[in-house]
Structures are given as C-alpha cells and as structure tokens.
Amino acid sequence: MIRLLIADDQPAAREGLRLLFRPVEDIDVLGAAANGRELVAMARRLSPDVVLTDIRMPGTDGVEAARELSGLSPSPSTVMLTTFDTDDYLFGALQAGAVGFLLKESDPELYVEAVRAAASGQGVIDPRVTPRLVKRFARTSPRTPPLLVEELTPREREVLVLVAKGRSNARIAGELSITHGTAKVHVARILAKLGLESRVQAAIYAYRHGLTTWADD
C-alpha cells in the first residue's frame, strides 16, 4: 500500500484529489494539508511514501516544503502540481528534489501513475511540462553525447528519447509495441547505466547531449 499525503490551498482541490484516489486500491491517502508548513508537519507525523503537492501556495509553498521533506529520514518522494505560469517554481522544485511534475488538468490516470512511479523511486512528467522544464537546463549544455551513452542499446536510446518527450511507461509501451513491464525495465536500466536518479534527470540528459531536439517531436 502506497501511503500518500496531498496538499493544496484550495479546499475544492484537496477534496477532488481525495475523490480521485479513493477507488485506487493500492494508494492510501493519509491526509490533506492546506499549505506547505502543514504538509511538512503531517509528513513528520505520518511518514508518507509520496507527497502530491501544489507547487504554489501562500506562506510555505510546495518548493520550500519539498526542501524540508528531503531532510526527513526516510524522506518521501515529491510530485508537484503546477500550471502553465509557474516556470520559476518548476526549476526551484527540480532543484529541491521533486521527482514528478503534473499539470492540474492532467489526465487522472497520469496522477495515479505518477504516485505509483514516485513510490518506486521513479517519476512522471506531464508531456506539456517537459519542454519548459528541460529547455532551461539544456540551453547552455554541450551537445556531444558522453561515452556513457555508448552503453545504451538501440532500444534503450529509443526509450530515453521518449522519456525526454515526457512519455509515461504506458505510452512508451504503446509506441514501441512492448509491454508495460518491459518499458519499466528499460527505463530502470537507462537510469542505472547513466547514473541518474529520476526520469526528470534522464529527460534533461537527453536534451543536453543532443540525443533529441524539440524539432523531433
């Protein structure tokens, strides 16, 4: 059972998230916080596996909460909820250790997939967030692939490009005509071979080193 905490300063949003996860048998919503400070206090008390939090909240926001949560032992994985106008928050959240980024209007299935992925040490990025998130970090980076890329198989390179485009494991499986489990294994092997910790880092890596460009999508 995945232990989940949610946070949003809007009561309707908090209730909507509760309702979204209520029928999901492997996710248990431990509680809902109205701000980052309350979220951190609840996390200290309840020890969640995953935190799903609005990135922008009054007082202690999601980014500051993520920084504090990263200092807990054990620390929960953090998935951020955002909108199109919060670029600066996105970059701060990445630096604070967030493993997933979803738009508030993301498909409900993506919410569930993101929480499950975060619980297993991975992450999911809404495809519409990926370009803005990655461009900032890839803009001034070298374009020559490092030797580590040579360790990837042709299939793993294909998977890495799709990860960089923000595809979920399910989408990767569909586009490459492989099983969901095989896609998950490929992603895990890519992260291990490249010494990366999350799909976010893998996406940035692919763009930094010229394995894909925005024109390819």
Side-chain angles (χ1 to χ4, degrees):
M1 183 68 70
I2 299 170
R3 296 163 56 84
L4 173 67
L5 272 181
I6 58 181
D8 197 294
D9 60 310
Q10 299 296 322
R14 293 197 298 274
E15 183 60 24
L17 290 172
R18 282 184 182 275
L19 292 174
L20 171 65
F21 289 104
R22 182 170 295 169
V24 183
E25 295 182 354
D26 61 332
I27 298 176
D28 180 22
V29 177
L30 303 177
N35 54 60
R37 185 176 300 279
E38 185 177 334
L39 173 63
V40 172
M42 293 177 69
R44 293 181 185 278
R45 186 173 72 254
L46 300 174
S47 299
D49 302 306
V50 179
V51 165
L52 179 64
T53 178
D54 188 3
I55 199 169
R56 179 182 289 183
M57 295 181 289
T60 302
D61 60 28
V63 175
E64 180 57 35
R67 292 194 185 99
E68 295 190 39
L69 291 171
S70 67
L72 300 183
S73 182
S75 61
S77 297
T78 301
V79 178
M80 292 288 183
L81 299 176
T82 184
T83 57
F84 281 114
D85 63 347
T86 55
D87 282 7
D88 289 338
Y89 283 77
L90 283 177
F91 308 134
L94 180 60
Q95 293 168 338
V99 300
F101 297 87
L102 302 176
L103 291 174
K104 288 195 171 183
E105 60 268 32
S106 294
D107 190 296
E109 292 183 1
L110 193 58
Y111 274 69
V112 176
E113 181 178 353
V115 169
R116 287 173 175 159
S120 63
Q122 302 180 34
V124 168
I125 319 172
D126 188 296
R128 292 167 293 177
V129 174
T130 308
R132 303 172 68 185
L133 184 65
V134 176
K135 278 183 179 179
R136 169 76 171 263
F137 290 89
R139 187 177 301 148
T140 59
S141 302
R143 304 298 294 175
T144 304
L147 294 178
L148 285 175
V149 174
E150 297 179 358
E151 299 181 14
L152 300 181
T153 66
R155 175 63 86 188
E156 287 168 348
R157 290 195 188 202
E158 286 183 289
V159 172
L160 177 56
V161 168
L162 292 176
V163 169
K165 298 298 185 183
R167 306 294 198 268
S168 66
N169 286 346
R171 287 282 304 279
I172 291 172
E175 292 188 31
L176 298 182
S177 298
I178 57 179
T179 67
H180 184 276
T182 299
K184 184 176 180 180
V185 169
H186 280 315
V187 172
R189 287 177 177 170
I190 290 167
L191 297 180
K193 287 182 177 182
L194 299 181
L196 304 174
E197 297 180 357
S198 70
R199 299 170 77 98
V200 179
Q201 292 181 354
I204 293 170
Y205 184 99
Y207 282 102
R208 275 181 170 176
H209 299 293
L211 301 181
T212 187
T213 67
W214 304 110
D216 296 334
D217 205 2

